[in-house]
Amino acid sequence: MEQETNPTRDVFLPFRADLRGQSPYGAPQLDVPVRLNVNENPYSPSSDLCEAISASVTAAIKDLNRYPDRDFSKLRCDLSDYLAEESGVRIAPDLVWAANGSNEIMMHILQAFAGPQRVVASFLPSYSMYPEYVRDSFSTWVAGTRKPDFSLDFDEIRRVLDVHHPSVVFLASPNNPTGTALSEAELREILELTRESGPLMTADVPARRAATRDNAVTRDTDVCVTDDDGVPARRTATIVVVDEAYAEFRRAGVPSALELLERYEHLIVTRTMSKAFGAAGLRLGYMVAAKSIIEQIMLVRLPYHLSAITQAAASAALANRSALMEQVAQIRADRDSLAHSLQEMGFEIALSDANFVLFGKIANRHQTWQDLLNEGVLIREVGPDGWLRVSVGTPAENERFLSALHKAHVDHM
Ligand SMILES: Cc1ncc(COP(=O)(O)O)c(C=O)c1O
């Protein structure tokens, strides 16, 4: 039979103009012996943990013809128990929300609280995915700056809040790529400053109408927005997202924002099993927030977004956490000794509460990065000019990194 000719494929596709020329996010995934570039836990799961996860997943598979529990009640209880043990803060399970990685959690937050006409802000250097979440939720991105030592600059925070009135602010603590954490005093100050710094809204006029008149990008204190009865609009709070992806690695005495949840309804704390839990491949992130916030998130999530397999595997990993927590203590100690070795080699380091160290200042950072790669060691060329970031590996990997760095060509700034 003669083959049918294809209809012409030369059509004009409706690509989004704002995506033109952009490239997909992603650190290089290169097959080299020492991979210290994406802040993973360097240890594979133990055989006991593998068995526990297999048993839990096998049980879940028996019901695979059914949709999963869309509110993942058991997993929320397990996460709540874990948080109580890890941070000493007991959170009711219905104030915990989970998704496929904290990336998806961030999207849920922006789908619920950002969007067209709304501003989302952060203070750089910080996690490079934030602007992408903002783009993907059709919101406006505003990047404030930090001080040269990477700590927050409160004059700059006040300026961004005052001029842009963001509906959401992202603050990673410990921050990526710097590793620096926020103090309790800083967290409290931000949460006080953001009580009424969001967009203008009226309580009973449809949000659309108030939002279109509230030009959040220019200063709008003179804009008079009222509802149909003449009641003026008021400023909402700015949602403060404290991204604690690396919280388990913080040094003793460094607080978790979880401790402040009871006092601040506009605070969201996000966490992930990708780092300390050694389960980046699982894709399980979660957040804790007030009931009013969780209820909004539930409006925007896709139905059954968390598969039965993910729920089963995550619960099993949480139930077998004691060995993992010992590993975290080991990684913390290795981080401190890695930072110390880098300082002894003459590098400046940012004080890290995470499982990575940002070090510099190197005039030829790309060449240094490439020299390390040539020795089979992959780290990350990220953050401000002159700095490189290395994740904490096993002691053998850290040694290999340090000896490759000794050989690399480094022009100190
Ligand atoms: C600060 C920060 N937040 C969130 C994430 C995303 O983590 P997940 O794997 O849970 O999506 C990362 C990953 O590197 C991160 O560094």
Side-chain angles (χ1 to χ4, degrees), residues 227-238:
D227 70 9
D228 290 342
D229 301 323
V231 179
R234 59 180 283 221
R235 293 225 169 266
T236 70
T238 296

Side-chain angles (χ1 to χ4, degrees), residues 25 38-39 100-104 106 127 130 133 172 174-176 243 245-246 271-275 280 283-285 389:
Y25 170 87
V38 284
N39 306 337
N100 296 283
S102 42
N103 274 290
E104 190 181 25
M106 304 296 180
Y127 184 38
Y130 294 153
Y133 307 141
N175 185 35
N176 179 8
D243 177 353
Y246 301 96
R271 294 257 182 137
T272 180
M273 292 181 74
S274 295
K275 309 293 177 183
R283 308 306 301 128
L284 199 288
R389 192 194 69 193

Side-chain angles (χ1 to χ4, degrees), residues 34-42 246 275 331 334-335 338 354-359 377-380 388-394 397-398 401:
V34 180
R35 285 185 286 168
L36 302 176
N37 67 329
V38 284
N39 306 337
E40 296 153 332
N41 181 324
Y246 301 96
K275 309 293 177 183
I331 294 170
D334 290 343
R335 175 220 30 230
L338 183 63
N355 65 336
F356 54 84
V357 181
L358 189 74
F359 65 99
V377 179
L378 176 61
I379 66 166
R380 190 86 187 265
L388 289 169
R389 192 194 69 193
V390 59
S391 311
V392 180
T394 62
E397 288 173 326
N398 299 338
F401 157 70

